[in-house]
Amino acid sequence: MGDVKELTIHNAEILNGVKMIKGPALRSLDISFSGLKNIEFLDCPALETLILEGNKKMNKPDFSSLKGLKKLNLAKTTIQEMDFSVFPHLE
């Protein structure tokens, strides 16, 4: 991912699984309404905003590595429960 700070993918409807690897500068990720089922994060320490709205077949992801997350949008997903204690900076 290199120096990418913001990434937006809307209405892709072709995504099944996404691995975000080595995004040291990535601050904002919006993958809305894209048919996403799984997402994984490896080395994305700067991520503050994560929007996964409208991914209706989404499995519960592991967000434990996203310690700096401030904004999280899971509206209209199938995720029923979330442990928000892993996000000390969530607004």
Side-chain angles (χ1 to χ4, degrees):
M1 298 276 321
D3 293 331
V4 174
K5 292 182 177 147
E6 185 173 322
L7 180 60
T8 301
I9 303 170
H10 284 186
N11 300 310
E13 291 300 328
I14 57 169
L15 297 176
N16 188 20
V18 170
K19 267 189 186 180
M20 299 304 297
I21 300 172
K22 295 197 184 225
L26 186 64
R27 292 186 154 316
S28 177
L29 177 62
D30 182 349
I31 305 179
S32 297
F33 302 98
S34 295
L36 189 63
K37 292 181 183 176
N38 299 302
I39 189 163
E40 241 182 291
F41 296 93
L42 302 169
D43 194 19
C44 297
L47 194 62
E48 294 179 346
T49 302
L50 179 59
I51 303 168
L52 299 172
E53 182 177 359
N55 291 295
K56 296 180 180 180
K57 296 180 181 177
M58 190 152 190
N59 296 322
K60 183 178 175 184
D62 179 6
F63 292 144
S64 62
S65 67
L66 303 178
K67 302 293 183 200
L69 206 60
K70 293 180 180 178
K71 296 179 183 177
L72 175 63
N73 182 343
L74 298 172
K76 300 178 185 171
T77 67
T78 54
I79 298 171
Q80 303 269 327
E81 59 183 72
M82 179 67 54
D83 178 10
F84 290 102
S85 67
V86 298
F87 309 117
H89 305 291
L90 205 60
E91 296 174 356

